[in-house]
């Protein structure tokens, strides 16, 4: 698929929360860095009629204090609105005419960003195809969740595959677009001292966690249908695990990275409900107005690999809402004959992007007392004047460039669901083993 310089970005759901909070600020950032240039067209799709003033108001509210700069003007000039009924093929024909008018040769690269719930994808994807809006210049960007379970994920993949080739489909996992997540591979590739340590002879466990200090924040309908396992574990944390543990390919191409991730995921045994914990923070049932809700807001599970390189290593994934802090990190614990002498390597994804190596050092003075201390690399300290790019800006830029490295492939989605399906089945429609934990907990057990 050839790379084209001037994209047309079509946002389905321009008035939605994701568009306002993430996409429009990311597009503003891409104008600021010169990735998007004058001539870029952004078409905001809505079921309802929007005037240009309505569009400008949406942009201004999403950019907050950035509304007066030149790049906000560039963004405002680029965006036009189009009312479209997802079930009406004739509306897609109007969209096609509008897109063709953007480039007299019909060669504009087109990105269709589905900033809508996945349940609403079907008629849009079908009509894009029937209207001929699925050419080699068209790319489809999809937000998680990628299915509700294994069966629905396969159905979703089948739906998309009938209209678009996999090389045209970009399943977004914005966690992989964060700088520290990207640095996982770069760190392993360019620091050879760690290469011989990346196996079960030296690593005992890998713990990936993502905690949020807030609750569901009014997203009752979404969360009651989703839960913590589907919301964070199945996508973000499984992808981080694969990126951390996969064999670094000789070629860092998108296809090679995906093959390496699939090889690792294929080696994992299915999750054992007996090695998992699920919890729900106290007060959740009142928030969602469901006194008997079994939906989990916390999950901790342990996985294992059948690969000879990783047999015996514990892979722990943990996510919770209403915890004592907001943090996301990957902690790699190295083997030791004495727990107090354990070294660990931590990649912190948020809130501050850092890499820490835990070492034992001698305390100053006349004693030989030893203590743990971090050898710490903070991105903000090492690169104080760097242009930090938002994850969504990176997602859009990579899609423009045709780089699928930081997106989830069909097979990765299927592998993830196959691994986690036993937990869904064990937890379906029952509260057995559900732990009610206090708001602000440090752990759940």
């Amino acid at each position: 698929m050839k790379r084209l310089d001037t994209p047309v970005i079509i946002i389905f759901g321009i008035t939605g929360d994701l568009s306002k909070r993430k996409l429009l600020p990311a597009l503003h950032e891409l104008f600021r860095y010169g990735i998007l240039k004058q001539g870029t067209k952004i078409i905001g799709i809505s079921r309802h009629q929007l005037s240009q003033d309505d569009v400008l108001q949406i942009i201004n509210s999403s950019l907050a204090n950035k509304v007066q700069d030149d790049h906000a003007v560039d963004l405002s000039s680029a965006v036009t609105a189009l009312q479209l009924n997802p079930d009406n093929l004739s509306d897609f024909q109007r969209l096609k005419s509008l897109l063709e008018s953007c480039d007299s040769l019909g060669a504009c690269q087109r990105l269709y960003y589905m900033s809508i719930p996945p349940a609403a994808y079907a008629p849009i994807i079908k009509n894009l195809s029937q209207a001929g809006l699925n050419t080699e210049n068209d790319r489809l960007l999809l937000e998680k969740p990628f299915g509700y379970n294994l069966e629905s994920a396969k159905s979703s993949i089948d739906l998309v595959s009938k209209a678009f080739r996999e090389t045209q489909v970009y399943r977004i996992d914005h966690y992989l677009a964060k700088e520290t997540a990207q640095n996982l591979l770069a760190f392993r590739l360019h620091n050879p001292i760690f290469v011989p340590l990346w196996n079960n002879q030296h690593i005992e466990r890998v713990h990936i966690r993502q905690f949020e200090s807030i609750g569901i924040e009014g997203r009752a309908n979404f969360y009651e249908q989703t839960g913590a396992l589907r919301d964070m574990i199945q996508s973000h944390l499984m992808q981080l695990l694969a990126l951390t543990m996969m064999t670094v390919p000789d070629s860092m191409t998108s296809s090679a990275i995906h093959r390496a991730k699939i090889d690792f995921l294929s080696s994992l045994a299915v999750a054992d409900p007996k090695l998992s914990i699920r919890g729900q923070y106290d007060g959740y049932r009142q928030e969602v107005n469901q006194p008997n809700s079994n939906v989990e807001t916390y999950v901790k599970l342990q996985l294992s690999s059948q690969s000879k390189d990783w047999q015996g290593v514990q892979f722990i994934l943990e996510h919770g809402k209403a915890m004592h802090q907001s943090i996301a990190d990957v902690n790699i614990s190295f083997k030791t004959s004495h727990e107090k002498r354990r070294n660990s390597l931590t990649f912190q994804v948020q809130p501050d992007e850092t890499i820490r190596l835990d070492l034992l050092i001698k305390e100053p003075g006349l004693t030989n007392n030893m203590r743990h201390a971090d050898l710490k690399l903070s991105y903000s300290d090492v690169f104080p004047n760097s242009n930090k790019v938002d994850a969504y800006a990176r997602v859009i830029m990579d899609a423009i460039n045709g780089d699928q490295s930081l997106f989830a492939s069909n097979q990765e989605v299927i592998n993830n669901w196959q691994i986690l399906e036993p937990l869904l089945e064990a937890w379906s429609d029952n509260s057995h083993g559900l732990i009610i934990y206090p708001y602000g907990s440090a752990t759940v057990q």
Side-chain angles (χ1 to χ4, degrees):
M1 190 181 296
K2 62 182 177 180
R3 176 176 173 177
L4 302 171
D5 292 330
T6 305
V8 180
I9 302 169
I10 302 95
I11 302 175
F12 286 89
I14 185 72
T15 63
D17 183 60
L18 176 64
S19 174
K20 293 175 181 177
R21 288 190 304 108
K22 298 295 185 180
L23 300 187
L24 291 171
L27 291 168
H28 172 266
E29 196 168 342
L30 291 176
F31 274 108
R32 182 159 64 93
Y33 290 130
I35 303 300
L36 296 180
K37 304 181 185 300
Q38 288 188 350
T40 298
K41 302 295 182 183
I42 301 168
I43 301 174
I45 304 293
S46 174
R47 284 179 172 269
H48 309 289
Q49 184 69 44
L50 294 177
S51 68
Q52 195 62 22
D53 285 342
D54 294 330
V55 173
L56 293 178
Q57 186 175 353
I58 292 170
I59 293 172
N60 289 344
S61 64
S62 69
L63 297 185
N65 61 337
K66 303 173 184 176
V67 295
Q68 300 301 322
D69 71 11
D70 292 339
H71 308 296
V73 174
D74 292 337
L75 175 59
S76 298
S77 300
V79 179
T80 58
L82 178 68
Q83 184 179 12
L84 181 145
N85 183 340
D87 298 308
N88 193 340
L89 178 59
S90 64
D91 284 357
F92 287 81
Q93 297 291 356
R94 287 194 300 112
L95 172 61
K96 183 178 183 180
S97 297
L98 179 60
L99 292 173
E100 288 176 345
S101 71
C102 294
D103 188 313
S104 59
L105 301 177
C108 281
Q109 181 186 101
R110 299 184 288 244
L111 305 182
Y112 303 108
Y113 201 118
M114 308 291 271
S115 182
I116 55 176
Y121 287 173
I124 295 174
I125 292 173
K126 177 183 176 182
N127 282 323
L128 284 172
S129 176
Q130 291 190 355
L133 294 173
N134 59 343
T135 71
E136 65 173 4
N137 297 332
D138 297 303
R139 293 170 184 167
L140 183 68
L141 281 70
L142 304 175
E143 283 279 350
K144 73 174 185 70
F146 309 128
Y148 183 77
N149 54 20
L150 179 59
E151 181 181 358
S152 64
K154 288 180 176 178
S155 297
S156 174
I157 289 170
D158 184 58
L159 166 72
V160 174
S161 298
K162 288 178 179 177
F164 293 87
R165 297 185 301 277
E166 185 162 9
T167 53
Q168 296 174 275
V169 180
Y170 293 72
R171 287 185 169 83
I172 298 163
D173 191 326
H174 69 272
Y175 256 63
L176 298 188
K178 292 180 180 292
E179 284 290 347
T180 310
Q182 294 176 56
N183 201 47
L184 277 165
L185 278 183
F187 179 91
R188 295 173 56 194
L189 182 66
H190 297 289
N191 294 281
I193 62 171
F194 290 97
V195 172
L197 303 181
W198 227 259
N199 54 55
N200 59 357
Q201 299 302 307
H202 299 94
I203 294 177
E204 184 166 10
R205 64 176 175 266
V206 178
H207 185 177
I208 301 178
R209 65 173 175 168
Q210 195 274 346
F211 285 173
E212 298 175 24
S213 60
I214 61 173
I216 61 169
E217 298 291 289
R219 298 191 302 159
N221 290 335
F222 166 80
Y223 216 80
E224 272 293 285
Q225 298 173 23
T226 308
L229 185 71
R230 292 183 174 96
D231 186 35
M232 287 297 301
I233 302 288
Q234 185 275 331
S235 53
H236 299 327
L237 300 198
M238 288 293 290
Q239 283 288 329
L240 279 177
L241 177 64
L243 199 65
T244 304
M245 309 317 301
M246 72 182 209
T247 300
V248 176
D250 294 332
S251 168
M252 295 298 285
T253 62
S254 172
S255 58
I257 290 172
H258 285 298
R259 283 196 300 272
K261 287 199 290 183
I262 290 169
D263 286 345
F264 172 76
L265 292 171
S266 298
S267 78
L268 293 177
V270 297
D272 184 350
K274 295 179 181 177
L275 298 176
S276 65
I277 299 172
R278 63 169 171 157
Q280 182 188 95
Y281 66 81
D282 191 18
Y284 171 83
R285 291 174 177 174
Q286 289 77 16
E287 282 189 59
V288 299
N289 197 28
Q290 296 289 341
N292 298 312
S293 175
N294 302 317
V295 172
E296 77 284 352
T297 60
Y298 172 92
V299 175
K300 184 176 184 179
L301 61 93
Q302 180 176 315
L303 299 174
S304 62
S305 172
Q306 299 165 339
S307 163
K308 63 179 179 62
D309 290 332
W310 296 116
Q311 281 184 351
V313 178
Q314 297 177 359
F315 302 116
I316 300 169
L317 305 182
E318 185 177 17
H319 163 64
K321 287 187 173 294
M323 305 300 286
H324 70 303
Q325 63 177 332
S326 293
I327 192 169
D329 54 19
V330 178
N331 178 266
I332 299 159
S333 295
F334 294 96
K335 285 187 173 180
T336 178
S337 59
H338 197 296
E339 184 64 33
K340 291 185 178 180
R341 297 175 184 169
R342 183 182 302 281
N343 298 121
S344 65
L345 177 65
T346 301
F347 296 84
Q348 185 167 301
V349 180
Q350 65 181 38
D352 301 314
E353 294 182 305
T354 59
I355 301 174
R356 301 191 308 273
L357 180 61
D358 178 32
L359 299 173
L360 275 168
I361 61 172
K362 178 187 174 298
E363 291 182 353
L366 299 177
T367 70
N368 292 320
N369 294 337
M370 303 294 292
R371 62 174 292 179
H372 284 272
D374 280 342
L375 190 63
K376 181 178 178 181
L377 181 154
S378 168
Y379 274 70
S380 59
D381 291 341
V382 177
F383 308 107
N385 300 315
S386 65
N387 294 323
K388 186 176 179 181
V389 179
D390 178 78
Y392 274 90
R394 178 62 187 258
V395 161
I396 296 170
M397 183 188 73
D398 283 355
I400 292 171
N401 292 337
D403 184 352
Q404 292 181 304
S405 301
L406 302 179
F407 298 82
S409 69
N410 289 346
Q411 190 57 52
E412 290 163 39
V413 172
I414 290 174
N415 283 142
N416 289 347
W417 281 119
Q418 287 173 332
I419 293 164
L420 299 176
E421 190 87 349
L423 300 185
L424 295 177
E425 294 174 353
W427 298 346
S428 177
D429 299 326
N430 72 80
S431 59
H432 180 70
L434 183 69
I435 301 170
I436 305 299
Y437 61 94
Y439 205 108
S441 293
T443 187
V444 177
Q445 57 187 10

